Amino acid sequence: MIIPIASDHAGYPGKETVRKILEEMGHTPVDFGTHSEDSVDYPDFAVQVAKRVNDGEYDQGILVCGSGQGVCMTANKYPKVRAGLVYSSQSAEMTRLHNNANIMCLPGRELDENQIKEILKIWLDTEFEGGRHERRVNKIETLTQK
């Protein structure tokens, strides 16, 4: 799978870990930056992934900042994006299973390589459950159509 990724300076080490693990898993990450730990503004990088997922260029994306919150807030400004903050194995599973998240936002300052690897595997392997959750996910999208 081709997966766009991006981060700010605080998430840069985590994004590099994500990139490496995705490649080890056989995926192709497309890196929209940043490319160092020099201070940058997270919205400038989050929109690079969010816009492309929103427009259907990619099915899923991954964003990383220090807390995961800033990139998540930015990504969710797009009407077809369902970005979820993922900080554990359980949150990885539930954002896909019940919320059909199409962008995963990671707190780079909080997770080590082993945690990121486990989270990535679960998030990418978990399918949306649908059913009663489909109705709820559809309601999210209708909020931006008013």
Side-chain angles (χ1 to χ4, degrees), residues 40-56:
V40 295
D41 297 332
Y42 60 81
D44 296 338
F45 297 90
V47 299
Q48 299 300 318
V49 171
K51 181 178 183 339
R52 288 169 171 88
V53 170
N54 185 74
D55 294 347

mmCIF file with all atom_site columns, all heavy atoms in Angstrom, residues 40-56:
data_model
loop_
_atom_site.group_PDB
_atom_site.id
_atom_site.type_symbol
_atom_site.label_atom_id
_atom_site.label_alt_id
_atom_site.label_comp_id
_atom_site.label_asym_id
_atom_site.label_entity_id
_atom_site.label_seq_id
_atom_site.pdbx_PDB_ins_code
_atom_site.Cartn_x
_atom_site.Cartn_y
_atom_site.Cartn_z
_atom_site.occupancy
_atom_site.B_iso_or_equiv
_atom_site.pdbx_formal_charge
_atom_site.auth_seq_id
_atom_site.auth_comp_id
_atom_site.auth_asym_id
_atom_site.auth_atom_id
_atom_site.pdbx_PDB_model_num
ATOM 1   N N   . VAL A 1 40 ? 9.055   23.948 12.841 1.00 0.00 ? 40 VAL A N   1
ATOM 2   C CA  . VAL A 1 40 ? 8.111   24.233 11.749 1.00 0.00 ? 40 VAL A CA  1
ATOM 3   C C   . VAL A 1 40 ? 6.702   24.272 12.349 1.00 0.00 ? 40 VAL A C   1
ATOM 4   O O   . VAL A 1 40 ? 6.497   23.930 13.507 1.00 0.00 ? 40 VAL A O   1
ATOM 5   C CB  . VAL A 1 40 ? 8.159   23.155 10.632 1.00 0.00 ? 40 VAL A CB  1
ATOM 6   C CG1 . VAL A 1 40 ? 9.516   23.151 9.936  1.00 0.00 ? 40 VAL A CG1 1
ATOM 7   C CG2 . VAL A 1 40 ? 7.826   21.783 11.185 1.00 0.00 ? 40 VAL A CG2 1
ATOM 8   N N   . ASP A 1 41 ? 5.735   24.670 11.544 1.00 0.00 ? 41 ASP A N   1
ATOM 9   C CA  . ASP A 1 41 ? 4.340   24.714 11.974 1.00 0.00 ? 41 ASP A CA  1
ATOM 10  C C   . ASP A 1 41 ? 3.619   23.468 11.496 1.00 0.00 ? 41 ASP A C   1
ATOM 11  O O   . ASP A 1 41 ? 3.530   23.212 10.287 1.00 0.00 ? 41 ASP A O   1
ATOM 12  C CB  . ASP A 1 41 ? 3.653   25.961 11.413 1.00 0.00 ? 41 ASP A CB  1
ATOM 13  C CG  . ASP A 1 41 ? 4.283   27.252 11.933 1.00 0.00 ? 41 ASP A CG  1
ATOM 14  O OD1 . ASP A 1 41 ? 4.829   27.242 13.053 1.00 0.00 ? 41 ASP A OD1 1
ATOM 15  O OD2 . ASP A 1 41 ? 4.214   28.264 11.215 1.00 0.00 ? 41 ASP A OD2 1
ATOM 16  N N   . TYR A 1 42 ? 3.084   22.680 12.431 1.00 0.00 ? 42 TYR A N   1
ATOM 17  C CA  . TYR A 1 42 ? 2.468   21.393 12.090 1.00 0.00 ? 42 TYR A CA  1
ATOM 18  C C   . TYR A 1 42 ? 1.346   21.494 11.056 1.00 0.00 ? 42 TYR A C   1
ATOM 19  O O   . TYR A 1 42 ? 1.207   20.589 10.228 1.00 0.00 ? 42 TYR A O   1
ATOM 20  C CB  . TYR A 1 42 ? 1.992   20.644 13.344 1.00 0.00 ? 42 TYR A CB  1
ATOM 21  C CG  . TYR A 1 42 ? 0.976   21.370 14.172 1.00 0.00 ? 42 TYR A CG  1
ATOM 22  C CD1 . TYR A 1 42 ? -0.371  21.359 13.833 1.00 0.00 ? 42 TYR A CD1 1
ATOM 23  C CD2 . TYR A 1 42 ? 1.354   22.069 15.312 1.00 0.00 ? 42 TYR A CD2 1
ATOM 24  C CE1 . TYR A 1 42 ? -1.303  22.039 14.592 1.00 0.00 ? 42 TYR A CE1 1
ATOM 25  C CE2 . TYR A 1 42 ? 0.436   22.745 16.068 1.00 0.00 ? 42 TYR A CE2 1
ATOM 26  C CZ  . TYR A 1 42 ? -0.899  22.731 15.711 1.00 0.00 ? 42 TYR A CZ  1
ATOM 27  O OH  . TYR A 1 42 ? -1.822  23.403 16.465 1.00 0.00 ? 42 TYR A OH  1
ATOM 28  N N   . PRO A 1 43 ? 0.527   22.566 11.015 1.00 0.00 ? 43 PRO A N   1
ATOM 29  C CA  . PRO A 1 43 ? -0.528  22.580 9.988  1.00 0.00 ? 43 PRO A CA  1
ATOM 30  C C   . PRO A 1 43 ? 0.016   22.530 8.561  1.00 0.00 ? 43 PRO A C   1
ATOM 31  O O   . PRO A 1 43 ? -0.621  21.947 7.676  1.00 0.00 ? 43 PRO A O   1
ATOM 32  C CB  . PRO A 1 43 ? -1.277  23.892 10.251 1.00 0.00 ? 43 PRO A CB  1
ATOM 33  C CG  . PRO A 1 43 ? -1.024  24.191 11.688 1.00 0.00 ? 43 PRO A CG  1
ATOM 34  C CD  . PRO A 1 43 ? 0.389   23.707 11.935 1.00 0.00 ? 43 PRO A CD  1
ATOM 35  N N   . ASP A 1 44 ? 1.189   23.114 8.341  1.00 0.00 ? 44 ASP A N   1
ATOM 36  C CA  . ASP A 1 44 ? 1.767   23.142 6.990  1.00 0.00 ? 44 ASP A CA  1
ATOM 37  C C   . ASP A 1 44 ? 2.052   21.740 6.468  1.00 0.00 ? 44 ASP A C   1
ATOM 38  O O   . ASP A 1 44 ? 2.021   21.504 5.261  1.00 0.00 ? 44 ASP A O   1
ATOM 39  C CB  . ASP A 1 44 ? 3.070   23.955 6.981  1.00 0.00 ? 44 ASP A CB  1
ATOM 40  C CG  . ASP A 1 44 ? 2.845   25.417 7.315  1.00 0.00 ? 44 ASP A CG  1
ATOM 41  O OD1 . ASP A 1 44 ? 1.710   25.905 7.144  1.00 0.00 ? 44 ASP A OD1 1
ATOM 42  O OD2 . ASP A 1 44 ? 3.811   26.074 7.758  1.00 0.00 ? 44 ASP A OD2 1
ATOM 43  N N   . PHE A 1 45 ? 2.300   20.801 7.357  1.00 0.00 ? 45 PHE A N   1
ATOM 44  C CA  . PHE A 1 45 ? 2.616   19.438 6.948  1.00 0.00 ? 45 PHE A CA  1
ATOM 45  C C   . PHE A 1 45 ? 1.401   18.517 7.040  1.00 0.00 ? 45 PHE A C   1
ATOM 46  O O   . PHE A 1 45 ? 1.220   17.648 6.198  1.00 0.00 ? 45 PHE A O   1
ATOM 47  C CB  . PHE A 1 45 ? 3.808   18.924 7.761  1.00 0.00 ? 45 PHE A CB  1
ATOM 48  C CG  . PHE A 1 45 ? 5.031   19.733 7.482  1.00 0.00 ? 45 PHE A CG  1
ATOM 49  C CD1 . PHE A 1 45 ? 5.328   20.865 8.230  1.00 0.00 ? 45 PHE A CD1 1
ATOM 50  C CD2 . PHE A 1 45 ? 5.846   19.423 6.409  1.00 0.00 ? 45 PHE A CD2 1
ATOM 51  C CE1 . PHE A 1 45 ? 6.430   21.651 7.926  1.00 0.00 ? 45 PHE A CE1 1
ATOM 52  C CE2 . PHE A 1 45 ? 6.953   20.204 6.104  1.00 0.00 ? 45 PHE A CE2 1
ATOM 53  C CZ  . PHE A 1 45 ? 7.249   21.321 6.860  1.00 0.00 ? 45 PHE A CZ  1
ATOM 54  N N   . ALA A 1 46 ? 0.560   18.739 8.029  1.00 0.00 ? 46 ALA A N   1
ATOM 55  C CA  . ALA A 1 46 ? -0.647  17.920 8.169  1.00 0.00 ? 46 ALA A CA  1
ATOM 56  C C   . ALA A 1 46 ? -1.552  18.068 6.943  1.00 0.00 ? 46 ALA A C   1
ATOM 57  O O   . ALA A 1 46 ? -2.137  17.091 6.480  1.00 0.00 ? 46 ALA A O   1
ATOM 58  C CB  . ALA A 1 46 ? -1.401  18.301 9.437  1.00 0.00 ? 46 ALA A CB  1
ATOM 59  N N   . VAL A 1 47 ? -1.647  19.273 6.403  1.00 0.00 ? 47 VAL A N   1
ATOM 60  C CA  . VAL A 1 47 ? -2.529  19.480 5.237  1.00 0.00 ? 47 VAL A CA  1
ATOM 61  C C   . VAL A 1 47 ? -2.030  18.736 4.006  1.00 0.00 ? 47 VAL A C   1
ATOM 62  O O   . VAL A 1 47 ? -2.830  18.376 3.139  1.00 0.00 ? 47 VAL A O   1
ATOM 63  C CB  . VAL A 1 47 ? -2.747  20.973 4.902  1.00 0.00 ? 47 VAL A CB  1
ATOM 64  C CG1 . VAL A 1 47 ? -3.394  21.701 6.064  1.00 0.00 ? 47 VAL A CG1 1
ATOM 65  C CG2 . VAL A 1 47 ? -1.468  21.661 4.475  1.00 0.00 ? 47 VAL A CG2 1
ATOM 66  N N   . GLN A 1 48 ? -0.740  18.489 3.923  1.00 0.00 ? 48 GLN A N   1
ATOM 67  C CA  . GLN A 1 48 ? -0.196  17.768 2.766  1.00 0.00 ? 48 GLN A CA  1
ATOM 68  C C   . GLN A 1 48 ? -0.772  16.359 2.665  1.00 0.00 ? 48 GLN A C   1
ATOM 69  O O   . GLN A 1 48 ? -1.042  15.860 1.575  1.00 0.00 ? 48 GLN A O   1
ATOM 70  C CB  . GLN A 1 48 ? 1.336   17.706 2.835  1.00 0.00 ? 48 GLN A CB  1
ATOM 71  C CG  . GLN A 1 48 ? 2.021   19.049 2.819  1.00 0.00 ? 48 GLN A CG  1
ATOM 72  C CD  . GLN A 1 48 ? 1.706   19.837 1.566  1.00 0.00 ? 48 GLN A CD  1
ATOM 73  O OE1 . GLN A 1 48 ? 1.686   19.303 0.461  1.00 0.00 ? 48 GLN A OE1 1
ATOM 74  N NE2 . GLN A 1 48 ? 1.432   21.119 1.738  1.00 0.00 ? 48 GLN A NE2 1
ATOM 75  N N   . VAL A 1 49 ? -0.964  15.717 3.791  1.00 0.00 ? 49 VAL A N   1
ATOM 76  C CA  . VAL A 1 49 ? -1.542  14.381 3.828  1.00 0.00 ? 49 VAL A CA  1
ATOM 77  C C   . VAL A 1 49 ? -3.068  14.461 3.813  1.00 0.00 ? 49 VAL A C   1
ATOM 78  O O   . VAL A 1 49 ? -3.738  13.763 3.050  1.00 0.00 ? 49 VAL A O   1
ATOM 79  C CB  . VAL A 1 49 ? -1.049  13.599 5.059  1.00 0.00 ? 49 VAL A CB  1
ATOM 80  C CG1 . VAL A 1 49 ? -1.802  12.285 5.234  1.00 0.00 ? 49 VAL A CG1 1
ATOM 81  C CG2 . VAL A 1 49 ? 0.460   13.339 4.947  1.00 0.00 ? 49 VAL A CG2 1
ATOM 82  N N   . ALA A 1 50 ? -3.632  15.323 4.643  1.00 0.00 ? 50 ALA A N   1
ATOM 83  C CA  . ALA A 1 50 ? -5.092  15.406 4.776  1.00 0.00 ? 50 ALA A CA  1
ATOM 84  C C   . ALA A 1 50 ? -5.769  15.752 3.450  1.00 0.00 ? 50 ALA A C   1
ATOM 85  O O   . ALA A 1 50 ? -6.788  15.153 3.093  1.00 0.00 ? 50 ALA A O   1
ATOM 86  C CB  . ALA A 1 50 ? -5.465  16.418 5.848  1.00 0.00 ? 50 ALA A CB  1
ATOM 87  N N   . LYS A 1 51 ? -5.222  16.695 2.718  1.00 0.00 ? 51 LYS A N   1
ATOM 88  C CA  . LYS A 1 51 ? -5.820  17.087 1.439  1.00 0.00 ? 51 LYS A CA  1
ATOM 89  C C   . LYS A 1 51 ? -5.831  15.916 0.469  1.00 0.00 ? 51 LYS A C   1
ATOM 90  O O   . LYS A 1 51 ? -6.824  15.672 -0.210 1.00 0.00 ? 51 LYS A O   1
ATOM 91  C CB  . LYS A 1 51 ? -5.068  18.270 0.833  1.00 0.00 ? 51 LYS A CB  1
ATOM 92  C CG  . LYS A 1 51 ? -5.654  18.736 -0.492 1.00 0.00 ? 51 LYS A CG  1
ATOM 93  C CD  . LYS A 1 51 ? -4.922  19.932 -1.043 1.00 0.00 ? 51 LYS A CD  1
ATOM 94  C CE  . LYS A 1 51 ? -5.492  20.484 -2.328 1.00 0.00 ? 51 LYS A CE  1
ATOM 95  N NZ  . LYS A 1 51 ? -6.312  19.653 -3.132 1.00 0.00 ? 51 LYS A NZ  1
ATOM 96  N N   . ARG A 1 52 ? -4.757  15.183 0.424  1.00 0.00 ? 52 ARG A N   1
ATOM 97  C CA  . ARG A 1 52 ? -4.659  14.057 -0.521 1.00 0.00 ? 52 ARG A CA  1
ATOM 98  C C   . ARG A 1 52 ? -5.578  12.889 -0.143 1.00 0.00 ? 52 ARG A C   1
ATOM 99  O O   . ARG A 1 52 ? -6.137  12.241 -1.009 1.00 0.00 ? 52 ARG A O   1
ATOM 100 C CB  . ARG A 1 52 ? -3.209  13.627 -0.636 1.00 0.00 ? 52 ARG A CB  1
ATOM 101 C CG  . ARG A 1 52 ? -2.379  14.648 -1.418 1.00 0.00 ? 52 ARG A CG  1
ATOM 102 C CD  . ARG A 1 52 ? -0.883  14.384 -1.320 1.00 0.00 ? 52 ARG A CD  1
ATOM 103 N NE  . ARG A 1 52 ? -0.152  15.241 -2.233 1.00 0.00 ? 52 ARG A NE  1
ATOM 104 C CZ  . ARG A 1 52 ? 0.274   16.468 -1.931 1.00 0.00 ? 52 ARG A CZ  1
ATOM 105 N NH1 . ARG A 1 52 ? 0.038   16.992 -0.735 1.00 0.00 ? 52 ARG A NH1 1
ATOM 106 N NH2 . ARG A 1 52 ? 0.947   17.177 -2.831 1.00 0.00 ? 52 ARG A NH2 1
ATOM 107 N N   . VAL A 1 53 ? -5.734  12.637 1.140  1.00 0.00 ? 53 VAL A N   1
ATOM 108 C CA  . VAL A 1 53 ? -6.685  11.610 1.567  1.00 0.00 ? 53 VAL A CA  1
ATOM 109 C C   . VAL A 1 53 ? -8.107  12.102 1.294  1.00 0.00 ? 53 VAL A C   1
ATOM 110 O O   . VAL A 1 53 ? -8.945  11.370 0.775  1.00 0.00 ? 53 VAL A O   1
ATOM 111 C CB  . VAL A 1 53 ? -6.483  11.244 3.059  1.00 0.00 ? 53 VAL A CB  1
ATOM 112 C CG1 . VAL A 1 53 ? -7.621  10.358 3.566  1.00 0.00 ? 53 VAL A CG1 1
ATOM 113 C CG2 . VAL A 1 53 ? -5.137  10.546 3.253  1.00 0.00 ? 53 VAL A CG2 1
ATOM 114 N N   . ASN A 1 54 ? -8.383  13.353 1.619  1.00 0.00 ? 54 ASN A N   1
ATOM 115 C CA  . ASN A 1 54 ? -9.698  13.935 1.369  1.00 0.00 ? 54 ASN A CA  1
ATOM 116 C C   . ASN A 1 54 ? -10.087 13.846 -0.106 1.00 0.00 ? 54 ASN A C   1
ATOM 117 O O   . ASN A 1 54 ? -11.229 13.541 -0.441 1.00 0.00 ? 54 ASN A O   1
ATOM 118 C CB  . ASN A 1 54 ? -9.707  15.397 1.822  1.00 0.00 ? 54 ASN A CB  1
ATOM 119 C CG  . ASN A 1 54 ? -11.066 16.032 1.696  1.00 0.00 ? 54 ASN A CG  1
ATOM 120 O OD1 . ASN A 1 54 ? -11.967 15.752 2.479  1.00 0.00 ? 54 ASN A OD1 1
ATOM 121 N ND2 . ASN A 1 54 ? -11.232 16.890 0.704  1.00 0.00 ? 54 ASN A ND2 1
ATOM 122 N N   . ASP A 1 55 ? -9.129  14.106 -0.990 1.00 0.00 ? 55 ASP A N   1
ATOM 123 C CA  . ASP A 1 55 ? -9.386  14.111 -2.432 1.00 0.00 ? 55 ASP A CA  1
ATOM 124 C C   . ASP A 1 55 ? -9.380  12.715 -3.049 1.00 0.00 ? 55 ASP A C   1
ATOM 125 O O   . ASP A 1 55 ? -9.610  12.568 -4.243 1.00 0.00 ? 55 ASP A O   1
ATOM 126 C CB  . ASP A 1 55 ? -8.368  14.994 -3.149 1.00 0.00 ? 55 ASP A CB  1
ATOM 127 C CG  . ASP A 1 55 ? -8.524  16.473 -2.782 1.00 0.00 ? 55 ASP A CG  1
ATOM 128 O OD1 . ASP A 1 55 ? -9.559  16.841 -2.173 1.00 0.00 ? 55 ASP A OD1 1
ATOM 129 O OD2 . ASP A 1 55 ? -7.594  17.255 -3.073 1.00 0.00 ? 55 ASP A OD2 1
ATOM 130 N N   . GLY A 1 56 ? -9.061  11.693 -2.256 1.00 0.00 ? 56 GLY A N   1
ATOM 131 C CA  . GLY A 1 56 ? -9.086  10.320 -2.743 1.00 0.00 ? 56 GLY A CA  1
ATOM 132 C C   . GLY A 1 56 ? -7.814  9.857  -3.425 1.00 0.00 ? 56 GLY A C   1
ATOM 133 O O   . GLY A 1 56 ? -7.767  8.755  -3.965 1.00 0.00 ? 56 GLY A O   1
#
